[in-house]
Amino acid sequence: MESQKKCCGPKSCEKTSWSDLSQNEQYAVLGGAAVELVLKLTAWHFLYHDPKEKIRGSKWAWFPVTLVNFIGPLAFLLFGRKK
């Protein structure tokens, strides 16, 4: 028996190109990318400029965590910095 890919809708198995998205969907993607970039840059700024005494754990351990989309930089900013 062949395994079949299950799709939720008629177009969900097809790749979507940028031009297929509505203008609001394109804005949402760009907004999410902008938020992601700001979070990463903010986390990296604090990792680089804060002394190690103000960081919970190792700076080298936190850097790869910040590479995880959205969750990584937020985790560092919320839990990785000492007040």
Side-chain angles (χ1 to χ4, degrees):
M1 186 164 134
E2 253 181 71
S3 91
Q4 294 181 6
K5 225 182 192 184
K6 292 191 177 190
C7 299
C8 296
K11 290 184 75 179
S12 62
C13 287
E14 300 173 14
K15 285 189 174 181
T16 303
S17 68
W18 182 256
S19 60
D20 292 338
L21 299 175
S22 70
Q23 189 171 17
N24 286 340
E25 291 170 329
Q26 290 177 353
Y27 288 150
V29 170
L30 292 174
V35 168
E36 174 72 20
L37 181 64
V38 168
L39 283 172
K40 281 188 192 292
L41 291 175
T42 302
W44 292 341
H45 168 82
F46 285 119
L47 270 173
Y48 183 77
H49 289 288
D50 281 354
K52 64 181 178 181
E53 293 80 23
K54 292 186 82 178
I55 306 291
R56 288 190 179 99
S58 165
K59 287 185 175 191
W60 288 106
W62 276 110
F63 180 75
V65 172
T66 63
L67 297 175
V68 178
N69 290 343
F70 289 104
I71 295 169
L74 279 176
F76 170 72
L77 293 171
L78 294 174
F79 306 115
R81 299 181 66 223
K82 294 178 184 175
K83 304 280 182 200

